[in-house]
Structure formats: structure tokens, C-alpha cells
Amino acid sequence: MRKLTDSFRLSNEYEIPCLGYGTWDMFNGDSTVSAIKNALHVGYRHIDTAAFYKNEKSIGKAIRESGIDRSALFVTSKVWTNDRGYENTKRAFAKSLDELKLEYLDLYLIHWPASAAKYADWEKINLDTWKAIIELYKEGNIKAIGVSNFLVHHLEALMRTEVPPMVNQLEIHPGHMQKDILGFCGKNEILVEAWGPLGQGKMLSDPKLAAIAAKYQKSVAQLCIRWCLQNGTLPLPKSSSPTRMEENTLVFDFSISEGDMEEINAMPYFGGSGQHPDEVDF
Ligand code: NAD
């Protein structure tokens, strides 16, 4: 990847811009409209939202006010856990489109798998949800479909369906590389998106990462984002500050050496959210 507008090609050939703008913890309101417009102004063309974030109305407003052609943008949303199941998913999707005031989504994801800790029939719940998403895809309402926080055993059931997932959005950052799932996704043509690529801010004060970043005259945030890209994952950093959101795009003018990649890849777990998809209670 050489520039912000380069893209990954999904298994159905649809192109997805290689760096996305995360929007968790930004709620409907003027400050979110202005943050999204700033993000579009500095060059992001890929916006990651979810019904759960309660900001789809403001994202839609910012898109309309930006004047950027819809076809130049890539918009993702996700079905939340209390909307799982066939009928609920169809309704949730219609609501997301209505809030965004868009005619289609580029990508729609199951936000979290039904967890084994909470549901005996977790596989069936995931399959029913997925069936609705496949139908929406075949009707042309979504250009690409996928999941989020799915581990290998969650993915295996969906791989046997008519349209397997094209994307898996996972928590990925130094110290939490999730090599098993990355390997499975790589073999099955599932692009991995990295949520929390900065460890939700917790990577930024790590001395080892700071020392490596300094060698390239880059910030730790830029190092983490570049590390995600060089591992073949699509980072989704979030910042509402115009300076930082721009800083997070300046990751295409350097390359992390093989030795430094290996050193970061081998870092022990730290700074993770602690959310295990089989154990969460939502
Ligand atoms: P992140 O790793 O992007 O970190 C965000 C934090 O880092 C914020 O506090 C921000 O102010 C700070 N930050 C950003 N850039 C910085 C910079 N250059 N210098 C210093 N500080 C900086 O965490 P996130 O927002 O949790 O994750 C990114 C996106 O991934 C979300 O916004 C959301 O779109 C998505 N996400 C998805 C899931 C999921 O379950 N699928 C879960 C969490 C997040």
C-alpha cells in the first residue's frame, strides 16, 4: 500500500480503501458531523460505524454536506447483538440505512458472534443472522459482507454457507496479533480489519514501540498503523482531533524493516480490551 486511497480487493472483487476512519465513542451531534467532515477533508474515504455507536445520523449528514460523490466513499455498519436473528437483522439493516440516509452500504458486519457463554444455540443464531445478510447482499443493498470478532470456530460454520464472509474485523495491535485467526482468514480470502489498532490509546506510551518509532521519525500511532498494513490487515484508527486524524494517514512514506516487524510481532500481550468473543456477556 503506497497511499491513503489504495485499496484491498475483497474476495468478490469489491475494492475497500486500505485505511478506515473509526467512529466509536462519537455520538450523534454537531461535533461528530464536524469530525467526519474533517476526516473526509484530510482524505479518508472509508468510514467505520455501527448501529451501536449511535452516530449514523451524523455520519450521513456529514457525507451529504461534504459534497463528495457517494461512489467515492466506503461506508461500513454493523448489526448489534440485540438485533441478531433473521427478521431482526433485516429490520436493523433498514434502520441503519435510514439513519445514514444512504441507498446502500459498502460493508455490513455481524458486530459480535453470539457467545457460547450466553447462548446454547449460538451457532444457529449466527447462521440466522448471516442468512439475512446474504439475502441483503444478493438484493444489492450491500456491496460486501462480513463479521467482526469471529474466532475460527465461529467462522467455520459460516464458511459452509452460500456466501462466506469477506471481512473479519478483529481487535489487532502490537501484543495482540491473533495469529491463528489471521492464518485462517488468509487461507480463506477473508480480509482482516484491525479495530483498536492503537490499543485504544494504550500502545502510545510503550517505551519499546516509542524507540522503534523514533528510528523512522514517526509517532507510535503511525508505527502501529503501518504495522497493521504490513501484516496485511486494514487499520481503523479513531481520533476526533484534526491534527491526529491527519497524522494517522501519514503512514505511506516509510516502511518498517523485517527485523522491527518481527520484534513487534513477538511482543507479549498488553493493552488489550480484554474482550474475549466466547466470554462476553452481550
Ligand atoms: P484506537 O486504537 O483507534 O484508539 C483510539 C484512541 O487513541 C483515542 O483515545 C484517540 O484519541 C487516540 N489517538 C488516536 N490517534 C492518536 C494519535 N495520533 N496520537 C495520540 N492519540 C491518538 O481505538 P478504537 O477507537 O477503540 O478503535 C478504532 C475503531 O475500531 C473504532 O473507532 C471503531 O470504528 C472500531 N471498533 C470496532 C470494534 C468491534 O467490536 N468491531 C470494537 C472497538 C472499535
Side-chain angles (χ1 to χ4, degrees), residues 22-24 48 53 78 111-112 148-149 169 195-201 204 221 236-239 244 247-248:
T23 67
W24 160 240
D48 182 75
Y53 301 170
K78 316 182 188 89
H111 205 145
W112 286 85
S148 177
N149 300 301
Q169 186 178 119
W195 70 253
L198 315 178
Q200 307 188 300
L204 303 173
L236 301 168
K238 178 249 166 170
S239 171
R244 286 175 173 175
E247 174 187 327
N248 295 346

Side-chain angles (χ1 to χ4, degrees), residues 78-276:
K78 316 182 188 89
V79 55
W80 184 239
T81 58
N82 53 9
D83 283 322
R84 293 190 189 106
Y86 180 80
E87 295 293 345
N88 285 346
T89 298
K90 291 257 177 121
R91 256 195 306 273
F93 175 77
K95 183 158 184 246
S96 282
L97 268 197
D98 184 55
E99 302 255 309
L100 286 156
K101 302 252 174 300
L102 293 178
E103 290 186 353
Y104 67 92
L105 281 186
D106 295 279
L107 179 64
Y108 197 52
L109 307 177
I110 303 181
H111 205 145
W112 286 85
S115 73
K118 195 170 173 191
Y119 301 98
D121 60 343
W122 60 270
E123 273 185 291
K124 179 178 176 339
I125 298 174
N126 292 336
L127 279 166
D128 287 348
T129 309
W130 189 241
K131 187 177 164 212
I133 292 181
I134 291 181
E135 281 183 17
L136 291 162
Y137 171 67
K138 287 173 76 180
E139 287 159 11
N141 298 309
I142 316 171
K143 303 294 181 190
I145 57 178
V147 294
S148 177
N149 300 301
F150 271 52
L151 304 179
V152 171
H153 57 283
H154 301 121
L155 281 169
E156 271 166 347
L158 303 195
M159 296 314 295
R160 296 188 284 270
T161 61
E162 188 186 353
V163 187
M166 298 155 195
V167 167
N168 190 11
Q169 186 178 119
L170 295 168
E171 181 179 4
I172 303 269
H173 47 73
H176 196 41
M177 204 178 154
Q178 306 225 44
K179 275 189 191 158
D180 286 0
I181 317 175
L182 285 193
F184 181 90
C185 289
K187 274 194 215 117
N188 288 285
E189 289 188 276
I190 300 171
L191 176 73
V192 172
E193 295 184 335
W195 70 253
L198 315 178
Q200 307 188 300
K202 287 172 278 186
M203 300 292 106
L204 303 173
S205 52
D206 180 71
K208 179 181 254 184
L209 292 174
I212 299 176
K215 288 205 265 179
Y216 301 96
Q217 295 174 305
K218 288 288 177 182
S219 67
V220 174
Q222 290 167 326
L223 182 78
C224 292
I225 294 165
R226 180 75 204 177
W227 173 82
C228 289
L229 286 168
Q230 285 188 217
N231 273 329
T233 65
L234 189 159
L236 301 168
K238 178 249 166 170
S239 171
S240 29
S241 130
T243 318
R244 286 175 173 175
M245 63 173 80
E246 181 166 27
E247 174 187 327
N248 295 346
T249 67
L250 303 176
V251 296
F252 299 96
D253 56 353
F254 78 114
S255 186
I256 306 172
S257 73
E258 223 171 283
D260 287 337
M261 283 298 289
E262 275 168 25
E263 199 172 339
I264 304 172
N265 288 351
M267 285 175 82
Y269 181 84
F270 77 106
S273 70
Q275 291 176 307
H276 190 288

